[in-house]
Amino acid sequence: MRYEEWHLDKSSPVPLHRQIYEYMQGKIMNGEWPVGTRIPPQRELAARFQVNRSTVVYALGELAANGLIESKVGQGTVVVNNTWNLLAAGPAPDWNRYVRAGAYPPNIQLIQRINQAEARADIIRLGTGELSPELLPAAHMQEVIGKGTGGHLSLGYSEPKGSRFLRETLSEYLRSKGISASPSSILIVSGALQGLQLISVGLLQPGSTVLTETPSYLNSIHVFQSAGIRLAGVPMDLEGIRPDAVGPAKRQHQAGLLYTIPSFHNPTGRVMSGKRREELMKAAALERLPVIEDDVYGDLWLDAPPPPPLKSADPQGLVLYMDSMSKTLGPGLRIGWVAGPEPVIDRLADIKMQTDYGASSLSQYAVAEWLSTGRYEPHLADIRQKLKLRRDFALSILQQYFHDMATWEVPGGGFYIWLRLHVPIPVHQLFEQALKEGILLNPGQIYDRHDRQHLRLSYAYASLHDLERGLIRLAGMIRAYR
């Protein structure tokens, strides 16, 4: 248990025992000290807080009276709260088994084709999920790195959880989203994808099941499957994943986690409504089902901000919150973060140190400078304006050339338009034909293996000229099948 971020204010009119109570209550209620967390002995706490033992006894008595802690024979005083500790206490990963079997099986063949085609300079990428090079702040990044405030840059290994400066900065940034996460409950990862990888090998047993929306970005990567984890789909509607289906799916598949993208979902672009988020959190709490919230698109709203993250309404510490700078500052930074209960973060940090000994110190420094110097918000405002122009441009082309062949929803943010084709056309044939003509598509079957009607279109990557040329040519190919 860590106390490095907090000290008693002996000049405050608030009694010392009440300050201790409120500090420890906050740690418990926001899930940083989950069920089973052992409270140090009274003498140790008194020495740490530099108070009389009677003051500590009084504070612990209030916590016990409110049902937050209790004394157990042979265990001492422990927290009574949530379920993350059950996952965090799992056995260490059997690395030898992964070495013998191979860390990753081959990727989906279609994904391999897409990855290879993206390297071609002559290709029009209509499905790529990243910002266009012309939207990336390369010049500003050079300025940040070259003229930073200094004092925080280190080219050595960072702490197991990542740069202290960055975690402190992120703690403040998350507070603006309604999320209470101290630096000790934040782990810096090399992109959100690594966060998922650490979770798959650190918190789940092989053979476990993860629930996710249908369709889902998670189906397009093998990060969980490669660790022997199965995926099971939960239906969604226009408001997001259906909470009434979560419980039955959890019991049917004996699922260990739920993965969701509530804001500007990939690939559909949908936003989970505020009411639906409340319902989902109630369902997760009822089922004692931990949730991974992927919020990498949350800052990229175009019309109106999305509702607050699930993590902001998480009194039981059920949610692991993930975000990154890949979609806003650039995928090449490879900086993301996971915020959650301390035992989980400690566990993931240990595995990360075994894996790569920490994320890039230079990238961590750059991200911290963007956030701490106030540059990030103006950059976001500029990116939102440019993405909105691109979205509206793409929608105008769709309305002109696809109105009788497809339907789509207007995304309120993110990168994607989920195009539903009405023409009975084999999508795999369309993919191959488009590729021959220099156009790269992302078919819906990547995100749902049963899908044969959708394309994920991105307005974020291709230039406006290529976006127009590619969509018009695509419309011609589809129309030829009629």
Side-chain angles (χ1 to χ4, degrees):
M1 301 181 74
R2 295 170 174 79
Y3 307 90
E4 68 271 18
E5 304 97 10
W6 184 80
H7 298 278
L8 279 169
D9 182 4
K10 295 188 177 181
S11 65
S12 170
V14 179
L16 297 180
H17 76 271
R18 188 65 188 177
Q19 291 185 50
I20 295 172
Y21 168 83
E22 291 176 352
Y23 168 73
M24 298 180 77
Q25 179 198 43
K27 286 284 191 179
I28 294 170
M29 295 304 290
N30 68 20
E32 292 186 41
W33 294 354
V35 164
T37 300
R38 184 177 177 275
I39 303 297
Q42 296 170 1
R43 292 185 186 279
E44 182 179 330
L45 289 174
R48 164 61 187 83
F49 295 131
Q50 298 181 349
V51 295
N52 294 328
R53 184 180 173 190
S54 59
T55 303
V56 171
V57 170
Y58 199 174
L60 295 180
E62 289 191 20
L63 291 169
N66 289 332
L68 298 176
I69 62 173
E70 65 180 29
S71 296
K72 295 187 176 183
V73 177
Q75 297 184 43
T77 303
V78 296
V79 172
V80 182
N81 190 27
N82 60 53
T83 60
W84 275 109
N85 64 297
L86 299 177
L87 292 173
D94 181 0
W95 289 111
N96 289 330
R97 180 177 68 81
Y98 289 104
V99 170
R100 288 193 302 269
Y104 276 82
N107 208 339
I108 302 169
Q109 186 176 18
L110 186 56
I111 294 291
Q112 290 182 341
R113 298 281 306 283
I114 291 173
N115 290 341
Q116 293 166 0
E118 284 184 336
R120 289 171 45 184
D122 63 331
I123 206 82
I124 297 178
R125 294 158 60 173
L126 291 184
T128 296
E130 63 184 83
L131 287 177
S132 167
E134 65 189 53
L135 298 183
L136 296 178
H140 288 164
M141 186 65 71
Q142 288 179 334
E143 182 181 351
V144 165
I145 294 175
K147 299 180 180 179
T149 57
H152 300 288
L153 176 60
S154 169
L155 295 181
Y157 292 122
S158 62
E159 299 177 38
K161 293 182 182 179
S163 158
R164 178 76 188 184
F165 175 45
L166 177 54
R167 288 186 289 121
E168 290 173 345
T169 304
L170 285 172
S171 182
E172 291 295 322
Y173 169 69
L174 291 176
R175 188 171 292 114
S176 70
K177 294 175 177 282
I179 297 173
S180 176
S182 63
S184 60
S185 65
I186 298 173
L187 170 66
I188 308 302
V189 291
S190 300
L193 188 60
Q194 188 190 44
L196 294 176
Q197 182 187 34
L198 295 174
I199 290 167
S200 70
V201 299
L203 302 182
L204 295 169
Q205 296 293 326
S208 301
T209 298
V210 171
L211 301 180
T212 186
E213 295 107 337
T214 299
S216 174
Y217 154 76
L218 208 56
N219 289 313
S220 70
I221 54 176
H222 267 171
V223 61
F224 278 107
Q225 297 94 319
S226 295
I229 310 300
R230 296 188 294 265
L231 301 182
V234 180
M236 63 186 302
D237 57 26
L238 295 180
E239 290 190 64
I241 196 169
R242 285 176 41 199
D244 63 303
V246 169
K250 190 246 186 182
R251 293 187 289 274
Q252 178 185 352
H253 300 285
Q254 297 183 330
L257 287 173
L258 168 67
Y259 169 87
T260 181
I261 309 175
S263 296
F264 314 119
H265 176 261
N266 181 3
T268 67
R270 294 171 186 166
V271 177
M272 190 182 297
S273 67
K275 180 181 178 182
R276 180 62 57 86
R277 294 178 192 228
E278 294 177 6
E279 294 170 345
L280 178 59
M281 289 300 294
K282 289 178 181 178
L286 181 65
E287 298 293 336
R288 299 179 69 81
L289 180 66
V291 177
I292 303 172
E293 179 180 15
D294 190 337
D295 198 31
V296 296
Y297 300 99
D299 284 336
L300 294 173
W301 53 269
L302 306 182
D303 300 316
L310 299 174
K311 184 64 177 174
S312 68
D314 179 32
Q316 298 187 29
L318 285 172
V319 179
L320 268 183
Y321 179 84
M322 292 177 43
D323 198 354
S324 86
M325 289 294 177
S326 294
K327 306 301 181 183
T328 53
L329 286 181
L333 283 172
R334 308 311 306 141
I335 292 296
W337 53 91
V338 182
E342 282 187 24
V344 181
I345 298 303
D346 290 343
R347 170 87 170 135
L348 299 181
D350 176 61
I351 299 173
K352 179 170 172 57
M353 290 299 284
Q354 297 179 53
T355 305
D356 67 3
Y357 229 72
S360 162
S361 296
L362 186 59
S363 291
Q364 292 185 73
Y365 169 78
V367 171
E369 285 291 312
W370 273 90
L371 289 171
S372 65
T373 59
R375 294 172 179 262
Y376 188 59
E377 286 302 324
H379 167 70
L380 278 180
D382 180 61
I383 290 297
R384 291 185 193 119
Q385 181 181 12
K386 291 174 179 176
L387 282 177
K388 184 173 183 178
L389 183 150
R390 286 167 162 267
R391 179 203 63 180
D392 293 346
F393 182 73
L395 290 173
S396 68
I397 297 172
L398 291 179
Q399 184 59 41
Q400 183 176 357
Y401 292 94
F402 288 78
H403 65 277
D404 59 339
M405 301 187 299
T407 53
W408 55 89
E409 301 160 26
V410 177
F415 292 167
Y416 311 116
I417 298 172
W418 192 230
L419 191 73
R420 185 176 188 272
L421 301 176
H422 295 162
V423 178
I425 174 175
V427 175
H428 68 280
Q429 291 184 17
L430 180 63
F431 171 85
E432 295 293 346
Q433 181 182 350
L435 193 58
K436 289 179 181 178
E437 299 195 26
I439 298 172
L440 183 59
L441 303 175
N442 280 42
Q445 69 188 79
I446 296 173
Y447 314 102
D448 177 0
R449 61 189 179 89
H450 301 295
D451 191 301
R452 296 295 184 270
Q453 290 185 295
H454 287 90
L455 297 173
R456 189 191 78 172
L457 299 180
S458 168
Y459 45 82
Y461 189 82
S463 67
L464 294 180
H465 172 72
D466 282 349
L467 191 60
E468 180 177 27
R469 189 160 58 97
L471 286 176
I472 292 175
R473 186 68 195 99
L474 176 62
M477 283 183 269
I478 298 173
R479 200 171 298 281
Y481 276 88
R482 304 179 67 179

